[in-house]
């Protein structure tokens, strides 16, 4: 047991769950938060595992979550902002309420939770805030407008936060996963077809949905969530962490080509791929 306290949002499945388990196996005290209690109960199987039922968009739940941890342990050493989903669909067809919800979950809920954790970290003159972004925070893909917008925004917010907090001993790190085998693609695909599966964008939506099935299906490029969890652990344990970690290798390659290619060429390649 190393006595460090970690709070992970979106810990009920995928990357969040895998990360929680990795931290628990390394002797950290881990609080996992999400909305689905049934899927958080695995945390109880560990002596230092706890869960909090929290919808990241609910102010009262965010406050209670942080207060309970501080009351029990007096500190949060590492905050992992991982909860998120993809509100896919053509920009013309995504209702503004859904676009707002995308930002409430992926950005504003995250930033409000972070604001509750910062004062304690500042007092302790240490802490790590690890934000799970995506390569989607640097590139575009068809019919992903609001998801990309939310992750691009998270990249900018995290860059500013990293520099605002550096003099207080708090480190802010971005993780940029590529395709990872979790529930994420299914949710994004469902949202895509619900919003744009019929009507003027039907063809684009069907094409993207079937491409996702290939990418995330058996033999596809999607990696296991443990790969991301390992990068998160690396970032959490490094005394001089990088600002960004892109994983797995395909994520690094995609970001390299995005950096290298002019917009027109990148658009062509992306449209061809999808
Ligand atoms: N999988 C990928 O290919 C991929 C690639 C790049 C980045 N990411 C990012 O990685 C993060 C984790 O996603 P994942 O791939 O592990 O997908 P996932 O298995 O669908 O996990 C998403 C998590 O977020 C939680 N969540 C969703 N809405 C929430 C809300 N309103 N309040 C609180 N928790 C909420 C879910 O829990 P409940 O439903 O129980 O609340 C779940 O635990 C996301 O930020 C995603 O954008 C994923």
């Amino acid at each position: 047991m190393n006595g460090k306290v970690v709070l992970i949002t979106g810990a009920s499945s995928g990357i969040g769950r895998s990360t929680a388990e990795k931290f628990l196996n390394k002797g950290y005290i881990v609080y996992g938060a999400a909305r689905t209690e049934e899927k958080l109960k695995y945390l109880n199987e560990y002596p230092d595992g706890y869960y909090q039922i929290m919808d990241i968009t609910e102010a009262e739940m965010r406050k209670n979550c942080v207060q309970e941890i501080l009351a029990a342990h007096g500190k949060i050493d590492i905050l992992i902002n991982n909860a998120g989903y993809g509100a896919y669909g053509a920009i013309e067809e995504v209702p503004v309420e859904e676009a707002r919800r995308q930002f409430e979950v992926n950005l504003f809920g995250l930033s409000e939770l972070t604001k509750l954790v910062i004062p304690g970290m500042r007092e302790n003159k240490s802490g790590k805030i690890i934000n799970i972004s995506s390569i989607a925070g640097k590139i575009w893909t068809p019919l992903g407008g609001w998801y990309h917008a939310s992750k691009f925004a998270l990249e900018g917010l995290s860059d500013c936060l990293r520099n605002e907090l550096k003099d207080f001993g708090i480190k802010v790190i971005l993780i940029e996963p590529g395709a990872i085998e979790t529930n994420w693609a299914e949710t994004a695909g469902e949202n895509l077809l619900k919003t744009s599966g019929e009507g003027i964008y039907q063809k684009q939506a069907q094409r993207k949905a079937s491409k996702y099935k290939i990418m995330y299906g058996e033999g596809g490029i999607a990696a296991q969530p443990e790969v991301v969890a390992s990068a998160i652990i690396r970032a959490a344990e490094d005394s001089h962490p990088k600002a960004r970690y892109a994983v797995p290798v395909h994520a690094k390659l995609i970001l390299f080509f995005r950096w290298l290619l002019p917009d027109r060429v990148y658009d062509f390649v992306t449209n061809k791929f999808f």
Side-chain angles (χ1 to χ4, degrees):
M1 192 173 140
N2 71 23
K4 286 205 169 161
V5 181
V6 187
L7 168 58
I8 307 174
T9 69
S12 61
S13 67
I15 294 168
R17 176 171 177 157
S18 175
T19 305
E21 287 174 332
K22 258 199 197 324
F23 273 107
L24 284 162
N25 289 331
K26 291 195 107 220
Y28 289 79
I29 298 161
V30 174
Y31 279 78
R35 295 168 300 178
T36 321
E37 182 169 17
E38 224 19 69
K39 293 204 225 161
L40 287 167
K41 285 188 173 158
Y42 72 93
L43 284 147
N44 280 349
E45 289 162 21
Y46 296 83
D48 289 320
Y50 306 89
Y51 68 79
Q52 291 282 328
I53 300 160
M54 180 184 70
D55 184 326
I56 193 92
T57 66
E58 297 288 335
E60 206 52 30
M61 285 184 159
R62 291 190 299 257
K63 204 171 88 191
N64 290 342
C65 171
V66 172
Q67 273 178 356
E68 274 194 37
I69 303 173
L70 294 180
H73 302 281
K75 60 174 185 164
I76 295 171
D77 296 293
I78 303 168
L79 168 64
I80 300 168
N81 283 314
N82 165 72
Y85 77 102
Y88 274 68
I91 292 163
E92 191 183 348
E93 295 180 329
V94 175
V96 70
E97 295 75 23
E98 178 53 18
R100 286 205 175 102
R101 179 154 182 86
Q102 176 75 105
F103 268 73
E104 288 297 337
V105 175
N106 289 10
L107 195 75
F108 296 122
L110 175 157
S111 61
E112 287 301 297
L113 181 71
T114 303
K115 280 160 63 180
L116 295 172
V117 173
I118 288 172
M121 288 185 169
R122 191 170 38 237
E123 214 169 283
N124 294 340
K125 297 186 179 59
S126 81
K128 288 211 172 121
I129 297 165
I130 302 180
N131 291 337
I132 312 308
S133 176
S134 171
I135 56 169
K138 296 269 188 60
I139 62 162
W140 71 272
T141 59
L143 306 183
W146 287 110
Y147 181 65
H148 287 286
S150 73
K151 293 295 188 184
F152 269 64
L154 178 58
E155 294 271 330
L157 191 90
S158 304
D159 280 335
C160 289
L161 194 64
R162 185 177 68 252
N163 286 285
E164 286 174 22
L165 296 182
K166 73 176 163 40
D167 291 344
F168 304 113
I170 304 167
K171 302 211 159 66
V172 179
I173 300 142
L174 277 158
I175 307 289
E176 299 170 330
I180 309 298
E181 229 181 286
T182 65
N183 297 334
W184 181 90
E186 201 183 318
T187 307
E190 278 168 15
N191 289 337
L192 172 64
L193 294 177
K194 195 176 80 195
T195 308
S196 297
E198 288 166 24
I200 36 178
Y201 295 94
Q202 181 177 8
K203 255 190 174 163
Q204 283 188 52
Q206 303 286 1
R207 270 205 305 266
K208 171 102 186 230
S210 34
K211 194 73 191 179
Y212 261 2
K213 281 214 174 95
I214 298 166
M215 281 168 68
Y216 287 86
E218 226 183 287
I221 63 163
Q224 292 305 306
E226 289 73 29
V227 175
V228 185
S230 297
I232 294 171
I233 297 268
R234 255 197 330 276
E237 295 192 335
D238 194 335
S239 51
H240 298 289
K242 296 191 289 183
R244 296 178 154 73
Y245 294 76
V247 280
V249 175
H250 73 243
K252 288 191 181 67
L253 284 174
I254 291 168
L255 293 182
F256 172 70
F257 283 112
R258 172 61 288 215
W259 169 81
L260 187 72
L261 299 176
D263 286 340
R264 211 180 291 192
V265 181
Y266 191 82
D267 285 1
F268 176 79
V269 173
T270 302
N271 281 316
K272 262 267 174 272
F273 178 78
F274 283 102

